[in-house]
Amino acid sequence: MKKTLLVALVFTGMLTSKLSAQEVNNTVKINPLSALFRIGSVFYERKMSDNLSLQLGVAYTGLKLDETKFSGFSTTPELRYYPKANALNGLYFGPFLRYQNYTVKDDINEGSYTSFGGGAVLGRQWVYKSGFTLDLFFGPSYNAGKIKADDGSGEPEVNGAIDGFGLRAGIAIGFGF
């Protein structure tokens, strides 16, 4: 019994050290704070070279601002540059684009909202030996969109809530592999 336990512990130790020594080339992350705003978001990042990675984020929302409800999706492709040649684990900066497509409803009107925008982020990502990933980022953004009434009446009221200049900031947690 003791020999079996010892062999299992040694094998597990060898397997664990081998796994933690592997280079991380991908991460999958979520933004846990986005749930506060009724948004679910998932990010996939892939290392392209020692200095570059590509990330794709997708999100779905059921957000309500004042009397206006937005429901739909957005996608955010992003190029990240890691200046210390440590892609996926370190300080980074880079541009991003964003496409949004929402159904918009207020008390009287219903329509659709589409926008295209972009910006830049500065961030820091940590990938630990366990694979746990923590990503903190922020930067300026700009969105320009169009509302179209679906029912022939007036357009839903947006009040500039998602158009124009803004700040993109977030925390993402996940796993690297």
Side-chain angles (χ1 to χ4, degrees):
M1 175 80 166
K2 288 182 182 179
K3 287 183 182 180
T4 305
L5 182 58
L6 181 61
V7 169
L9 287 173
V10 169
F11 179 73
T12 303
M14 287 172 38
L15 182 62
T16 305
S17 65
K18 182 77 170 168
L19 289 174
S20 64
Q22 290 180 345
E23 185 177 340
V24 172
N25 291 311
N26 304 280
T27 63
V28 175
K29 302 168 278 193
I30 62 168
N31 183 345
L33 298 178
S34 64
L36 298 172
F37 301 101
R38 298 188 59 150
I39 301 170
S41 57
V42 177
F43 306 95
Y44 171 72
E45 184 177 2
R46 176 149 179 91
K47 180 178 178 177
M48 304 308 289
S49 71
D50 288 343
N51 291 94
L52 292 175
S53 73
L54 290 174
Q55 177 171 281
L56 179 63
V58 293
Y60 179 81
T61 188
L63 176 67
K64 187 171 184 179
L65 297 172
D66 295 324
E67 300 302 318
T68 306
K69 182 176 181 186
F70 298 86
S71 59
F73 76 95
S74 67
T75 184
T76 308
E78 181 177 331
L79 176 68
R80 291 182 170 187
Y81 176 74
Y82 291 81
K84 292 191 175 183
N86 56 348
L88 300 187
N89 193 13
L91 181 70
Y92 65 85
F93 61 89
F96 69 89
L97 298 173
R98 176 171 288 152
Y99 172 75
Q100 300 174 103
N101 187 348
Y102 300 127
T103 298
V104 184
K105 295 180 185 178
D106 61 20
D107 289 338
I108 303 167
N109 304 302
E110 183 174 336
S112 60
Y113 172 81
T114 56
S115 79
F116 186 74
V121 291
L122 173 66
R124 173 67 164 97
Q125 182 164 263
W126 294 266
V127 179
Y128 298 94
K129 285 184 181 179
S130 65
F132 176 77
T133 303
L134 173 63
D135 185 6
L136 305 172
F137 58 90
F138 73 97
S141 67
Y142 181 81
N143 285 318
K146 195 179 344 178
I147 291 188
K148 179 182 173 192
D150 288 344
D151 60 6
S153 62
E155 295 175 346
E157 189 65 38
V158 175
N159 291 331
I162 54 179
D163 265 352
F165 288 99
L167 179 68
R168 179 179 177 219
I171 297 173
I173 58 172
F175 191 78
F177 56 96

